[in-house]
Amino acid sequence: MTERNAGVMTRDRSAVRETLRALFDAALAAADPVRAIAGHLPRPVAGRTVVVGAGKASAAMACAFEKAWSGPLEGLVITRYGHAAPCRNIEIVEAAHPVPDPAGEAAARRILDLASGLGREDQLVCLFSGGGSALLTLPAPGLTLADKQAVTRELLRSGATIGEINTVRKHLSAIKGGRLAAAAAPARVLTLAISDVPGDDPAVIASGPTVPDPTSFADARAVLAKYRITEPPAVMAHLAAAEEETPKPGDPVFGRARFELIASPQQALAAAAGIAHATGITPIILSDRIEGEARDVAAVHAAIALQLRAGHFRVGEDIVARPAVLLSGGETTVTVRGNGRGGRNSEFLLALAKTLGGAPEIAGLACDTDGIDGTEDNAGAIVYPDTIERAAAQGIAIDEKLAQNDGYGFFAALGDLVVTGPTLTNVNDFRAILILDNSPAANPRVG
């Protein structure tokens, strides 16, 4: 009997996994740079068209732009190691993420030099996506790469939001926070961006190299104070001196600069919702801009899923029927206390599994749309109703894994990681919590 039930559960897991992966794949397709960029090409100019960029999707964006562009073209973009795409005229440089390295610094300096050499008849096309802040690293005068590496590590461990992290980054940089546009003026500047930040704020995407910066040195100091970061001394001194503030809204350097969003988290969620709806699963998009500690976000998602499973989740006067799926995006954070492996999506799923406590008919996927959860080789993982039970059978305690921040180790042991490799796009986290009907016949399979 035990073996027969195990077989049934294996088949159920396979169907659930297929459904959740189909939703994730639809989200990725909606953020494909090749599909997104063709409708946003600029007009040719009398002078040079120079393409620069940074981010996990920037090489794919450059490749797509190059294929769609018919005139002369040159340029340089920086992407993460392993995320390159072949280009003829645009040079691709790979560098480290999320902690910057010398390759990123050298390429960022060359990008600033390219922009500084442009005139009024030229145009600079900037391709930015998630990861651009770490990759486009050029320390402000008086700072070193080691200074920026040290403060980046502390911020990443602190639980700071991406907006807070980028506020600090902009005020330690010679190229971010509108400074690239200032260097390119009076040339035309067109920024094409794929958003990976909650709210799609242009000033936060890649730390806004070509848009006005509404934040200040005082804001950057407040972020470090909030998270009790007091090192390195050169960073603290630079922020205290507060010299050469970033260009602000209304600055004339942005007079010929334009920003266009070509793909976003909301578009990815809408695509997944369309697939779900077409196969009889009711989609509920919670939000594309959810932030907060991954464990806290997981607790809220679990509570909503349990409410829906109990038949008490209402929209207006109507109770939402099963099967249904909760969809959400954004960027959670993890305050690292242990020494385990894993990113914010595996942390979310560990907490989700613990809160659900093996509740029947609820499964969930959480993945980073760039294909890399944190610094690991997986995009994320999947939780099933029997996740905790199967872990316990191997002697794995979920509480211990949570204490260690070891989501990767937990889900790897169960064979429940989602591995896509680099997707060459990035619209941040994607979460799908599937609430099935009691009757297997009532649960359509997507795909």
Side-chain angles (χ1 to χ4, degrees):
M1 178 65 77
T2 301
E3 292 181 359
R4 187 173 65 189
N5 287 341
V8 170
M9 182 56 70
T10 299
R11 290 195 297 273
D12 289 347
R13 284 199 302 271
S14 177
V16 167
R17 185 181 185 90
E18 182 179 332
T19 297
L20 290 169
R21 277 301 308 269
L23 298 176
F24 181 45
D25 290 344
L28 293 178
D32 182 357
V34 176
R35 294 172 51 180
I37 214 163
H40 296 269
L41 298 179
R43 297 190 306 273
V45 295
R48 300 160 62 197
T49 294
V50 176
V51 175
V52 299
K56 299 172 192 174
S58 64
M61 295 170 76
C63 182
F65 187 95
E66 194 175 81
K67 288 179 179 178
W69 185 255
S70 58
L73 197 62
E74 58 186 297
L76 165 68
V77 304
I78 315 168
T79 194
R80 181 176 179 165
Y81 291 116
H83 290 243
C87 288
R88 297 185 309 277
N89 302 310
I90 302 171
E91 182 182 353
I92 307 298
V93 173
E94 293 180 294
H97 176 280
V99 178
D101 70 353
E105 180 185 22
R109 192 175 303 280
R110 292 174 59 197
I111 285 175
L112 189 65
D113 289 342
L114 279 171
S116 300
L118 298 178
R120 189 169 186 83
E121 299 303 312
D122 303 321
Q123 70 177 342
L124 184 70
V125 179
C126 302
L127 309 176
F128 293 129
S129 70
S133 291
L135 294 163
L136 192 70
T137 294
L138 186 59
L143 296 177
T144 66
L145 177 62
D147 292 328
K148 296 200 71 174
Q149 289 172 327
V151 76
T152 296
R153 290 189 185 98
E154 290 302 311
L155 285 165
L156 291 172
R157 292 178 61 88
S158 72
T161 68
I162 188 61
E164 292 173 326
I165 292 172
N166 286 359
T167 292
V168 175
R169 283 168 162 165
K170 284 186 279 192
H171 289 88
L172 303 177
S173 175
I175 194 169
K176 294 193 271 281
R179 298 187 190 276
L180 180 60
R188 289 183 183 176
V189 178
L190 171 63
T191 300
L192 304 180
I194 294 178
S195 173
D196 74 323
V197 302
D200 305 330
D201 185 350
V204 180
I205 300 170
S207 292
T210 57
V211 299
D213 177 28
T215 69
S216 66
F217 276 101
D219 295 324
R221 292 195 300 269
V223 170
L224 296 189
K226 177 180 177 180
Y227 295 102
R228 298 190 174 99
I229 297 172
T230 59
E231 300 283 347
V235 166
M236 308 309 293
H238 178 81
L239 295 180
E243 297 176 358
E244 295 189 36
E245 182 59 270
T246 51
K248 303 302 177 197
D251 193 306
V253 299
F254 301 110
R256 303 188 76 202
R258 193 168 88 252
F259 178 95
E260 295 184 14
L261 189 66
I262 66 170
S264 69
Q266 179 59 35
Q267 292 172 348
L269 293 176
I275 293 294
H277 181 74
T279 53
I281 300 172
T282 302
I284 302 167
I285 297 179
L286 298 177
S287 175
D288 68 340
R289 57 185 70 190
I290 293 176
E291 296 182 279
E293 193 73 21
R295 299 184 189 196
D296 298 336
V297 173
V300 174
H301 281 65
I304 296 172
L306 290 168
Q307 183 83 348
L308 202 154
R309 179 179 173 273
H312 301 318
F313 189 87
R314 290 179 178 271
V315 176
E317 295 184 355
D318 298 325
I319 293 177
V320 176
R322 295 185 279 164
V325 63
L326 304 175
L327 300 169
S328 72
E331 182 166 337
T332 62
T333 54
V334 177
T335 302
V336 180
R337 299 182 177 89
N339 296 313
R341 299 172 62 190
R344 58 184 182 263
N345 289 288
S346 59
E347 179 94 354
F348 168 89
L349 289 169
L350 271 180
L352 182 77
K354 177 177 171 58
T355 306
L356 290 174
E361 294 109 33
I362 301 177
L365 171 148
C367 290
D368 197 319
T369 53
D370 67 5
I372 306 296
D373 186 27
T375 58
E376 302 302 333
D377 60 3
N378 65 310
I382 296 178
V383 158
Y384 301 97
D386 64 346
T387 288
I388 295 177
E389 180 184 351
R390 287 189 292 129
Q394 295 188 40
I396 301 170
I398 192 167
D399 286 337
E400 181 180 343
K401 291 296 186 181
L402 271 167
Q404 295 172 350
N405 300 114
D406 191 23
Y408 183 93
F410 182 89
F411 290 107
L414 299 180
D416 291 340
L417 295 175
V418 174
V419 179
T420 62
T423 63
L424 305 185
T425 190
N426 186 13
V427 287
N428 226 322
D429 298 338
F430 174 87
R431 292 177 290 268
I433 315 301
L434 185 63
I435 302 94
L436 299 171
D437 203 340
N438 298 42
S439 167
N443 296 309
R445 175 182 290 189
V446 178

